[in-house]
Amino acid sequence: MHVQQNIDLSPYNTFGIQASAKAFTTVRSVSEVQALIQSPAFTQQKVLLLGGGSNLLLTQDFNGLVVKIEIMGKEIVRETDDQVVLKFGAGENWHALVLYCVERGWGGVENLSLIPGTAGAAPMQNIGAYGTEMKDVIVEVEAVEIRTASVHTFSNETCAFGYRDSIFKQQAKGLYIITAITLALTKRNHALNISYGAVRETITALGYAGPSVKAISDAVIHIRRSKLPDPAVIGNAGSFFKNPTIPAAQYAALQQYYPAAPGYPAEEGMVKVPAGWLIEQCGWKGKRTGNIGVHQHQALVLVNYGGGKGNDLWQLALQIQRSVKEKFNIDIHPEVNVV
Ligand SMILES: Cc1cc2nc3c(=O)[nH]c(=O)nc-3n(C[C@H](O)[C@H](O)[C@H](O)COP(=O)(O)OP(=O)(O)OC[C@H]3O[C@@H](n4cnc5c(N)ncnc54)[C@H](O)[C@@H]3O)c2cc1C
């Protein structure tokens, strides 16, 4: 185990925030995880687990140990004519994993193309896009319990997936290091999801005769490239806030003042309102203060134009949160992990 001191974390977070870690190490296997968590380097200071740093806002230097998860590997666990079950190391890049599956014609993750980050972080917030979520394909999550160093397996059900939520953000928060995920994908009779109009239209625009695993993946990549800022160009962590759900009665009242207010049915009696719309109505879209701001085309995406401070971004997020509360009496909560 090699622990480095005073490491600049700017290459390790997609906001590109300059913050230093007092100590930094990488783990490449389950046994390395087990050895690390029993060592003083781990037990005697606070710890931050890191995948691709694409859902992270560093508001200050990290006065502890950053552990970058680099457990690689992919294997077919079992296979029939209809289905393939695959296990991926937590450090595998999510989008590369998606392309690996799409190239083989395996269905299930195509709508999740081009989401940054690692396989191991994907179940944390039950990543989702274009009508598909992690919970739709995951069989189990392998994780090492920090207290005992033992390996646990969480079934899909025990992961308690919800909208951008899982047991790993709730009861099991900070208790486990995810080391692998297992996914079940279809080899034929795919349950293709083209519920989003933009995906259907883009498939046609790209010249595909109809939806397929590859067509959907290509369409999603195309849409995302045209819509979302590339973190390699402008620092960001995707959607900063989760979309709030409000009681149907509150939504009806909102529509009286704002007939165009978008809303989508959520759990019983609740309506999901796009946080981006709320933020835009508060006048934040495109606002820039110094090196940070709100993206000009995506009100939900906070950006670091270069040299921005993490704490300034956090203060901006709090201001946005307050203004949405004042204008609409709706609470919006960060999707991004703020450290
Ligand atoms: C441009 C852009 C677009 C995005 N679009 C989407 C989208 O469409 N849908 C979506 O859901 N998300 C989206 N995201 C958010 C992000 O890509 C996902 O949340 C992703 O799963 C984060 O992976 P990561 O490896 O970068 O995690 P990190 O940012 O490194 O970590 C996220 C959290 O998980 C913890 N963690 C990381 N790895 C492990 C592990 N192995 N074990 C235990 N804890 C761990 C970290 O401590 C942290 O709390 C987007 C981000 C960007 C920058």
Side-chain angles (χ1 to χ4, degrees):
M1 172 200 337
H2 177 53
V3 179
Q4 297 169 274
Q5 309 297 321
N6 296 321
I7 293 296
D8 172 23
L9 294 174
S10 53
Y12 299 111
N13 72 97
T14 59
F15 262 125
I17 297 294
Q18 210 164 20
S20 70
K22 189 174 141 216
F24 182 96
T25 193
T26 53
V27 281
R28 298 201 169 85
S29 65
V30 171
S31 54
E32 278 190 21
V33 169
Q34 290 169 317
L36 176 70
I37 62 182
Q38 295 175 84
S39 73
F42 191 98
T43 55
Q44 292 181 0
Q45 56 189 335
K46 60 178 183 168
V47 170
L48 172 64
L49 303 175
L50 187 70
S54 65
N55 203 15
L56 200 64
L57 174 61
L58 297 162
T59 58
Q60 55 191 323
D61 290 339
F62 189 73
N63 188 25
L65 175 69
V66 171
V67 181
K68 187 161 185 310
I69 313 295
E70 290 188 351
I71 303 169
M72 308 310 274
K74 37 183 174 297
E75 60 170 297
I76 294 179
V77 178
R78 52 185 182 272
E79 194 173 4
T80 63
D81 289 344
D82 295 318
Q83 195 191 50
V84 56
V85 176
L86 296 127
K87 184 174 177 180
F88 293 95
E92 289 287 340
N93 175 272
W94 175 260
H95 180 57
L97 171 168
V98 170
L99 292 183
Y100 175 85
C101 299
V102 169
E103 276 161 18
R104 285 158 181 76
W106 296 336
V109 285
E110 57 280 0
N111 295 52
L112 304 176
S113 297
L114 213 62
I115 297 181
T118 55
M124 290 290 297
Q125 71 154 10
N126 180 25
I127 57 166
Y130 300 99
T132 298
E133 287 180 318
M134 190 71 198
K135 72 168 172 50
D136 302 326
V137 288
I138 201 149
V139 177
E140 59 192 32
V141 172
E142 178 194 273
V144 174
E145 188 183 19
I146 291 174
R147 193 176 55 86
T148 59
S150 58
V151 178
H152 287 243
T153 301
F154 292 80
S155 68
N156 184 311
E157 265 170 28
T158 51
C159 286
F161 290 121
Y163 165 60
R164 298 296 178 274
D165 203 16
S166 74
I167 193 170
F168 303 106
K169 291 185 81 175
Q170 302 294 337
Q171 303 95 298
K173 188 174 179 174
L175 304 183
Y176 292 88
I177 298 179
I178 295 171
T179 48
I181 61 169
T182 302
L183 309 180
L185 303 175
T186 48
K187 289 171 69 179
R188 58 186 186 190
N189 302 324
H190 306 297
L192 300 175
N193 185 335
I194 48 162
S195 55
Y196 277 64
V199 174
R200 289 195 301 275
E201 287 151 22
T202 309
I203 286 173
T204 311
L206 292 178
Y208 286 102
S212 64
V213 168
K214 172 95 169 87
I216 293 178
S217 174
D218 283 353
V220 168
I221 291 170
H222 186 85
I223 298 166
R224 294 182 72 100
R225 286 213 171 111
S226 66
K227 257 182 60 176
L228 285 169
D230 178 355
V233 181
I234 303 177
N236 76 91
S239 304
F240 195 91
F241 294 100
K242 294 195 266 192
N243 295 319
T245 48
I246 59 174
Q250 189 182 1
Y251 178 66
L254 178 70
Q255 274 192 312
Q256 296 210 316
Y257 289 99
Y258 302 92
Y264 305 95
E267 64 268 34
E268 213 174 303
M270 304 292 279
V271 176
K272 188 178 278 183
V273 182
W277 183 84
L278 297 166
I279 296 168
E280 191 174 343
Q281 296 305 306
C282 292
W284 287 105
K285 194 170 171 179
K287 278 251 167 92
R288 178 174 176 163
T289 324
N291 295 331
I292 61 161
V294 179
H295 193 258
Q296 51 181 343
H297 302 309
Q298 291 293 332
L300 200 48
V301 178
L302 303 193
V303 293
N304 173 16
Y305 291 101
K309 300 260 182 297
N311 191 43
D312 291 346
L313 270 164
W314 180 228
Q315 295 309 317
L316 173 64
L318 292 175
Q319 266 182 284
I320 292 172
Q321 210 175 29
R322 275 196 298 270
S323 68
V324 169
K325 178 73 176 171
E326 273 164 26
K327 192 173 174 84
F328 297 106
N329 193 28
I330 295 176
D331 293 305
I332 54 170
H333 300 287
E335 177 183 316
V336 169
N337 298 278
V338 181
V339 178

